[in-house]
Amino acid sequence: MPGTFEPLPGGGAAVALDDVEISIIRSLAVQLLELIGPGPGAETSDDPLAELFTDGPSEPPADPVLRRLFPDAYSDPEGTPGPEQAEEQRAYSAEFRRYTENDLRAGKRESALAVIRTLDGLSAESAGDGGAVLKLDPDESRQWLGALNDLRLAIGSRLDITDEDDTELLYRLPDEDPRKPMVMAYLWLGGLQETLVSTLMP
């Protein structure tokens, strides 16, 4: 089971992680949490009902990683739209973002927090020297899947990965390339994500 998720009887998934892997995933989840933040326009309040009626931002985030995590809802799949169509798409996207981004941010924060909590609470059976077996219930598995996807999107954005061809080029990077550690994390998380998906399939 090292490095791959396997299904648990009755649902959920398990994976053996060593201390270094636990530290890497936790660190990345904390960074993701800090990056997502509460978002512009989000206000902290003691009244949870008040937060339901707080409008989100209408403009896309300036950070390219956040733009990847919170893309515009409306775009032209055919290519570059004309000026009038582009303006219409911007207006629709702004309205959609205004009413959904705060909820999307909250969901992504909760998924990242779930990763941190489950790693911090690791008291499962030993996986050998300096490791443990992480066991997730079905809900935790889905939160992990969301967080792994967000982490790969974030790293992929930093690496300028836009399609599968870009991924193929990463395998050929020389070891001295400063992007190599990030590439290795991207590929490793992809393997975890893929095996976790397979455990959730009926």
Side-chain angles (χ1 to χ4, degrees), residues 85-184:
Q85 188 181 11
E87 184 56 40
E88 188 176 72
Q89 288 175 2
R90 276 193 293 272
Y92 287 146
S93 292
E95 191 73 358
F96 186 83
R97 186 180 295 279
R98 184 176 155 214
Y99 291 113
T100 61
E101 187 169 309
N102 283 348
D103 285 343
L104 289 173
R105 281 181 184 264
K108 290 180 184 298
R109 278 198 307 273
E110 191 54 42
S111 292
L113 278 169
V115 169
I116 295 167
R117 288 190 195 109
T118 52
L119 291 176
D120 286 349
L122 260 182
S123 58
E125 61 198 84
S126 172
D129 293 336
V133 175
L134 175 71
K135 295 181 179 179
L136 306 173
D137 63 32
D139 286 339
E140 290 169 337
S141 296
R142 284 186 283 274
Q143 287 179 308
W144 263 74
L145 188 59
L148 287 173
N149 185 63
D150 289 340
L151 287 172
R152 291 194 79 235
L153 284 174
I155 295 172
S157 179
R158 293 291 189 228
L159 292 170
D160 292 323
I161 297 172
T162 57
D163 56 37
E164 199 59 37
D165 290 339
D166 294 333
T167 305
E168 291 300 318
L169 293 173
L170 298 179
Y171 287 100
R172 298 196 288 272
L173 281 180
D175 289 343
E176 60 272 15
D177 191 300
R179 295 170 295 172
K180 191 72 172 187
M182 198 181 296
V183 167
M184 298 306 294

Side-chain angles (χ1 to χ4, degrees), residues 182-198:
M182 198 181 296
V183 167
M184 298 306 294
Y186 178 83
L187 297 174
W188 172 56
L189 292 174
L192 284 177
Q193 183 182 15
E194 186 177 342
T195 58
L196 183 54
V197 167
S198 68

Side-chain angles (χ1 to χ4, degrees), residues 21-31 115-116 119-120:
E21 292 168 333
I22 291 168
S23 176
I24 290 171
I25 296 174
R26 190 186 188 286
S27 174
L28 290 172
V30 168
Q31 291 175 56
V115 169
I116 295 167
L119 291 176
D120 286 349

Side-chain angles (χ1 to χ4, degrees), residues 73-88:
Y74 297 90
S75 60
D76 187 356
E78 302 292 319
T80 306
E84 190 173 317
Q85 188 181 11
E87 184 56 40
E88 188 176 72

